[in-house]
Amino acid sequence: MLDYTHEDWKARAAGLNIRGQAFIDGKLVDAASGKTFDCINPATGAVLAQVAEGDEADINRAVAAGRAAFEDGRWSRMAPGDRKAVLLKLADLIRANLEEMALLDSLDMGKLVTVAATVDAPGSAHFFQWYAEAIDKVYDEVAPTGPGDLALVSRVPLGVVGAVTPWNFPLDMATWKGAAALAAGNSVVLKPAEQSPLSALRLAELAAEAGVPDGVFNVVPGFGVTAGKALGLHMDVDCLAFTGSTAIGKMFMQYSGQSNLKQVWPETGGKSPNLVFADCEDLDTAADMAAFGIFFNQGEVCSANSRLYVERSIKDEFVEKLIARAEAMQPGDPLDPASKMGAIVDEKQTQGIMRFVEEGKKSANLVTGGERVIVDGKGCFVQPTIFDDVAHDNPLARDEIFGPVLSVIPFDTENEAVAMANDSIYGLAASVWTDNLSRACRVSDKLMVGTVSVNTVDALSAQTPFGGMKQSGFGRDLSLHSLEKYTALKTTWIKYKA
């Protein structure tokens, strides 16, 4: 697969059998209304499939199926080792269908197929395997009591978990929510982003093939204002996990209060700072990773390092290095292995990015990029763009652009850099570049974010929690900690004759 040419990938894409029906209670089904919407390839404008437009009626069907499955115990009371075996098989099936899963995400939202094939799809398989292996290794507790008392503290599944996932990592985000929720014994109703539903629908088919019982994993494509809202307001959903914008995350919190006080776990926006100090000797690696941190996945990453703070004495040198790297990362056909960036997810997002860029040209120093480009006569493509000497209060440095746009801001002192980095409504991630261990620890301690990456960017793994602070939300994906949000603590107190 890694040796595929552009023509190889195009031929394989042409041979896909794309299905757009919802997946409810173990079956592919049409929306109750019969409505569909176009699933569009942002690189070409071509319609990939007609996708079922789920709404409240379909959410109701899916939640009812999930509740029935939970109550009869076909999954929730399955032996941990048996659930583990099913999820391990699902991981294997993802690997066996790696090419298809990578193509679905690439065609659906514009990411490079080589990235989808080497990062996203293998990562999804890895996370399912990791949570499968964790199922029979998470222990309950026995509380200390006096004679005649036995207090058992167990983690029990909540019931029906709703998951609403974004379009930037369609398969991975479905996995981050679904794998942990399923491992804990819950039923899941997943509402993928309307821009990128295809891999989630295929994942549901593979889950059924692996042995996940009917009704346990349901996928309802549709729009946020209908299907998403219905899931958030549903009285029989016990928990809702969300990744997306801060504004929508706040709406889900409101839906909880308006309905049944379901747990809501939001992982929302970001405007992550990257601090580069003059005592970092390897500026080439720092520049490589700074470019990766903002231009990877076309900048459509919640934790993208979109604010770059550089110590003034090295700022001009560092910007020159960044310009060279940006100019070598021009967008192209996502199916072409030679392309360095793919397409923006859709026309609306592309126009939103360009509005920031055009306003930025009036208030900051554009040093490279800044244009929308056409590839093969069509598509939603934006050049990697860098603005230098950006004022800290400029919208370029304040707002989440969610595109390949970097703001460079000089600083003179460590305290100034930390103060500016923390002066944001967001607190998802940050990076620090320094060869001074004391500074690395000191600055990391002061940064109010969920993850600090030192001498790298956006570090994550199955073993470490991912999530933020402030208006980046408080939900946590990955690691054993994510199981906490899909379970409840239950105490069973037994009196016996001592």
Side-chain angles (χ1 to χ4, degrees):
M1 187 184 305
L2 296 180
D3 296 329
Y4 283 176
T5 66
H6 190 190
E7 294 304 316
D8 290 334
W9 280 117
K10 289 196 293 184
R12 283 159 173 78
L16 286 178
N17 177 24
I18 298 176
R19 293 169 292 284
Q21 291 175 291
F23 194 90
I24 299 175
D25 203 14
K27 298 179 289 294
L28 288 168
V29 296
D30 294 332
S33 67
K35 292 182 180 179
T36 62
F37 63 93
D38 290 342
C39 189
I40 297 173
N41 182 342
T44 66
V47 176
L48 296 167
Q50 299 288 319
V51 175
E53 186 182 326
D55 58 22
E56 184 178 1
D58 304 288
I59 291 294
N60 288 341
R61 284 196 290 168
V63 172
R67 177 60 61 191
F70 182 77
E71 294 295 342
D72 69 23
R74 69 188 77 164
W75 182 254
S76 58
R77 290 195 290 274
M78 184 183 287
D82 293 338
R83 285 207 310 273
K84 170 183 173 178
V86 172
L87 294 187
L88 285 175
K89 185 174 180 182
L90 177 53
D92 288 340
L93 285 171
I94 294 170
R95 294 187 182 101
N97 293 272
L98 202 68
E99 177 184 298
E100 178 186 12
M101 303 305 279
L103 279 167
L104 288 174
D105 271 4
S106 179
L107 295 172
D108 213 1
M109 61 75 56
K111 69 168 64 239
L112 296 177
V113 72
T114 51
V115 169
T118 58
V119 178
D120 297 53
S124 180
H126 170 70
F127 292 128
F128 267 109
Q129 179 178 343
W130 196 86
Y131 279 105
E133 293 287 1
I135 289 173
D136 57 3
K137 301 174 183 66
V138 178
Y139 290 81
D140 295 327
E141 304 169 13
V142 177
T145 58
D149 290 303
L150 175 64
L152 309 176
V153 181
S154 25
R155 284 205 168 271
V156 297
L158 293 172
V160 178
V161 171
V164 179
T165 53
W167 45 256
N168 56 337
F169 292 92
L171 179 60
D172 270 358
M173 293 297 99
T175 295
W176 284 20
K177 312 297 187 193
L182 290 172
N186 297 284
S187 298
V188 174
V189 177
L190 169 65
K191 206 296 283 184
E194 57 266 29
Q195 297 90 339
S196 57
L198 298 182
S199 61
L201 292 169
R202 183 66 179 121
L203 178 63
E205 290 186 287
L206 294 179
E209 184 179 343
V212 174
D214 293 352
V216 172
F217 187 61
N218 308 275
V219 179
V220 181
F223 295 98
V225 295
T226 49
K229 182 177 181 179
L231 194 58
L233 287 170
H234 205 289
M235 295 295 292
D236 205 24
V237 170
D238 301 286
C239 168
L240 191 135
F242 170 74
T243 295
S245 72
T246 295
I248 302 301
K250 291 178 179 180
M251 291 176 67
F252 278 113
M253 298 289 287
Q254 293 172 12
Y255 294 154
S256 172
Q258 293 165 13
S259 55
N260 62 340
L261 282 180
K262 63 178 64 63
Q263 297 181 38
V264 174
W265 297 101
E267 192 269 284
T268 51
K271 190 71 178 177
S272 298
N274 186 1
L275 285 62
V276 181
F277 290 90
D279 59 16
C280 172
E281 292 187 5
D282 191 355
L283 290 183
D284 285 323
T285 297
D288 288 341
M289 297 305 290
F292 174 84
I294 181 60
F295 302 134
F296 173 69
N297 208 50
Q298 304 75 248
E300 297 167 320
V301 182
C302 56
S303 53
N305 291 146
S306 54
R307 292 186 287 153
L308 178 63
Y309 297 96
V310 187
E311 194 161 351
R312 196 178 303 274
S313 62
I314 62 167
K315 196 265 293 181
D316 290 345
E317 176 189 1
F318 197 74
V319 169
E320 287 302 314
K321 292 178 183 292
L322 280 175
I323 291 171
R325 285 156 176 78
E327 291 177 350
M329 296 180 71
Q330 297 304 306
D333 184 347
L335 297 183
D336 186 351
S339 297
K340 303 303 181 184
M341 285 201 329
I344 304 300
V345 68
D346 62 11
E347 182 64 30
K348 178 182 178 181
Q349 182 67 17
T350 305
Q351 291 183 9
I353 293 168
M354 291 310 300
R355 282 194 294 272
F356 275 104
V357 171
E358 293 306 319
E359 286 300 312
K361 290 176 181 178
K362 303 173 186 177
S363 58
N365 179 21
L366 175 68
V367 294
T368 190
E371 300 296 332
R372 179 174 180 171
V373 295
I374 300 299
V375 175
D376 296 330
K378 50 206 164 191
C380 299
F381 298 91
V382 175
Q383 291 178 324
T385 299
I386 300 175
F387 286 95
D388 192 11
D389 293 316
V390 178
H392 185 60
D393 60 356
N394 190 309
L396 289 172
R398 308 296 294 178
D399 298 339
E400 186 177 33
I401 300 172
F402 223 69
V405 181
L406 178 65
S407 297
V408 181
I409 304 167
F411 68 85
D412 294 300
T413 68
E414 178 183 305
N415 286 339
E416 180 189 13
V418 171
M420 289 193 294
N422 281 336
D423 184 19
S424 172
I425 66 170
Y426 301 113
L428 186 53
S431 290
V432 178
W433 292 84
T434 176
D435 289 345
N436 183 315
L437 180 59
S438 294
R439 168 171 280 161
C441 294
R442 186 170 60 242
V443 172
S444 297
D445 285 346
K446 293 177 181 178
L447 291 172
M448 296 299 294
V449 297
T451 299
V452 180
S453 302
V454 177
N455 295 333
T456 186
V457 299
D458 215 14
L460 62 84
S461 74
Q463 294 87 347
T464 54
F466 180 89
M469 301 179 183
K470 299 189 278 188
Q471 292 191 47
S472 290
F474 49 84
R476 289 294 186 273
D477 288 313
L478 305 181
S479 82
L480 293 178
H481 291 289
S482 72
L483 296 174
E484 296 167 7
K485 67 177 185 271
Y486 300 123
T487 55
L489 289 174
K490 181 176 183 178
T491 297
T492 304
W493 194 295
I494 302 169
K495 298 287 289 185
Y496 65 93
K497 293 181 180 179

